[in-house]
């Protein structure tokens, strides 16, 4: 639409450059980058080394997959994936197109570890310093052990039910072992972020807000899980997270008889 492009778009004051949309045919395509740059002003720019953005501490646990992602994102020279970049764990045959392989889960955790490493170095760059990022095993274990939790009998205080193995380690953020923060849920942590795998075929992201007693699910393919199925997936966390909090902090306000809720954010 040359006429529309020539009509809309205003250059900066005292700048003879044409509007960004004011172009016709191939001439505009060739000059598009030049026009954008002419109307862009950089106030301040500081180039940082990758080692400074993602520093390595003395007792850091190594994660090769996370390091590979950082290299792909920030290394100046072109860096290509090779078979040596990933640990060989055997042959996996995909008989179901949608099935999530163990390698895929490792890649998910590697992406989480990039966030954990960045948060460990620069927590002020995030929306809050009272957050934590968990691996895929957190949701996997809690969903798997929810049956035992429901079958166990509570005591007179509503506590004493059987939580998932490793629950207290996640609660104190001693696992995952990569970039441990040792921050405690409800005391140092308000928001928990974790990936959740549904039916070994679809990934969703979960944001557990402790102060709001609410879980937000982020889903980029809304047709992959129905509202009824999502209710089942979220049930372990709606019940087990408040029990875990109260068992560890009896004085906490997150009482088990207060209903937690969840919502589904669909793109």
């Amino acid at each position: 639409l040359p006429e529309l492009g020539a009509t809309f778009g205003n250059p900066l004051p005292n700048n003879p450059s044409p509007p960004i949309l004011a172009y016709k045919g191939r001439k505009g395509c060739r000059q598009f980058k030049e026009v954008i740059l002419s109307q862009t002003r950089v106030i301040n720019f500081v180039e940082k080394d990758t080692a400074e953005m993602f520093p390595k501490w003395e007792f850091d646990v190594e994660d090769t997959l996370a390091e590979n992602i950082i290299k792909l994102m920030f290394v100046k020279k072109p860096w290509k994936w090779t078979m040596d970049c990933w640990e060989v764990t055997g042959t996996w045959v995909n008989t179901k197109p949608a099935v999530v392989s163990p390698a895929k889960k490792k890649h998910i955790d590697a992406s989480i570890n990039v966030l954990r490493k960045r948060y460990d170095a620069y927590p002020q760059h995030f929306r809050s310093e009272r957050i934590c990022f968990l691996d895929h095993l957190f949701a996997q274990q809690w969903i798997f052990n929810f049956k035992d939790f429901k079958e166990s009998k509570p005591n007179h205080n509503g506590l004493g039910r059987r939580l998932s193995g490793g629950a207290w380690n996640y609660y104190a953020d001693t696992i995952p072992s990569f970039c441990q923060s040792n921050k405690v849920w409800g005391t140092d942590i308000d928001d928990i972020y974790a990936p959740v795998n549904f039916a070994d075929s679809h990934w969703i992201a979960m944001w557990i807000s402790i102060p709001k007693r609410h879980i937000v699910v982020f889903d980029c393919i809304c047709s992959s899980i129905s509202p009824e199925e999502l209710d089942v997936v979220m049930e372990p966390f709606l019940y087990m997270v408040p029990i875990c909090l109260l068992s560890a902090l009896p004085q906490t306000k997150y009482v088990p008889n207060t209903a937690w809720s969840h919502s589904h954010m669909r793109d």
Side-chain angles (χ1 to χ4, degrees):
L1 298 175
E3 294 80 11
L4 177 64
T7 304
F8 289 86
N10 298 315
L12 294 174
N14 303 319
N15 191 326
S17 300
I20 291 180
L21 293 180
Y23 65 87
K24 293 184 179 181
R26 294 182 57 82
K27 179 180 179 182
C29 294
R30 291 196 304 268
Q31 297 179 351
F32 188 73
K33 181 178 180 181
E34 177 184 351
V35 173
I36 290 179
L37 293 176
S38 69
Q39 300 192 44
T40 303
R41 296 292 182 269
V42 178
I43 305 301
N44 186 34
F45 177 80
V46 177
E47 184 177 3
K48 291 189 176 182
D49 186 77
T50 306
E52 184 180 356
M53 294 189 294
F54 298 92
K56 291 185 178 181
W57 309 113
E58 182 179 356
F59 300 104
D60 270 359
V61 177
E62 293 293 330
D63 189 310
T64 304
L65 302 186
E67 296 295 334
N68 288 343
I69 293 175
I70 294 172
K71 290 178 184 177
L72 181 63
M73 293 171 62
F74 296 103
V75 171
K76 291 182 179 180
K77 297 180 180 179
W79 187 81
K80 297 181 179 180
W81 300 107
T82 66
M83 291 301 296
D84 297 332
C85 299
W86 308 103
E87 178 185 357
V88 178
T89 56
T91 303
W92 174 76
V93 180
N94 184 8
T95 57
K96 298 180 181 179
V99 170
V100 178
S101 69
K104 178 65 174 178
K105 295 178 180 179
K106 283 190 175 182
H107 297 167
I108 291 291
D109 285 345
S111 300
I112 294 295
N113 282 346
V114 172
L115 290 173
R116 289 177 67 88
K117 189 176 184 67
R118 184 66 172 169
Y119 175 74
D120 182 60
Y122 298 101
Q124 69 275 15
H125 291 177
F126 291 78
R127 60 178 294 270
S128 169
E129 296 189 13
R130 297 177 58 84
I131 63 177
C132 68
F133 301 95
L134 305 181
D135 58 12
H136 84 279
L137 290 174
F138 165 70
Q140 177 178 297
Q141 292 173 355
W142 285 46
I143 292 173
F144 180 80
N145 291 294
F146 185 54
K147 182 176 180 292
D148 292 337
F149 172 85
K150 291 193 296 184
E151 292 177 350
S152 61
K153 295 182 179 180
N155 58 25
H156 64 283
N157 292 324
L159 305 176
R161 306 184 75 169
R162 187 179 303 124
L163 292 171
S164 172
W168 304 117
N169 301 104
Y170 279 111
Y171 166 81
D173 200 31
T174 59
I175 55 174
S177 57
F178 185 81
C179 288
Q180 296 174 346
S181 72
N182 296 313
K183 292 184 177 182
V184 177
W185 295 1
T187 301
D188 310 302
I189 296 295
D190 290 334
D191 300 305
I192 303 167
Y193 296 90
V196 183
N197 182 256
F198 169 68
D200 206 26
S201 63
H202 178 55
W203 288 99
I204 56 179
M206 176 175 61
W207 165 27
I208 303 175
S209 175
I210 297 175
K212 296 179 180 179
R213 295 187 284 274
H214 185 75
I215 300 176
V216 179
V217 176
F218 299 93
D219 188 2
C220 61
I221 308 177
C222 58
S223 60
S224 296
I225 184 170
S226 68
E228 294 75 20
E229 291 170 327
L230 183 64
D231 290 341
V232 175
V233 173
M234 289 294 104
E235 189 178 12
F237 311 102
L238 295 173
Y239 284 92
M240 297 172 73
V241 170
I243 290 293
C244 180
L245 288 167
L246 191 67
S247 299
L249 298 172
Q251 74 278 13
T252 184
K253 57 185 176 183
Y254 310 116
V255 294
N257 60 354
T258 301
W260 282 49
S261 59
H262 75 274
S263 57
H264 197 180
M265 301 292 292
R266 299 167 181 258
D267 289 345

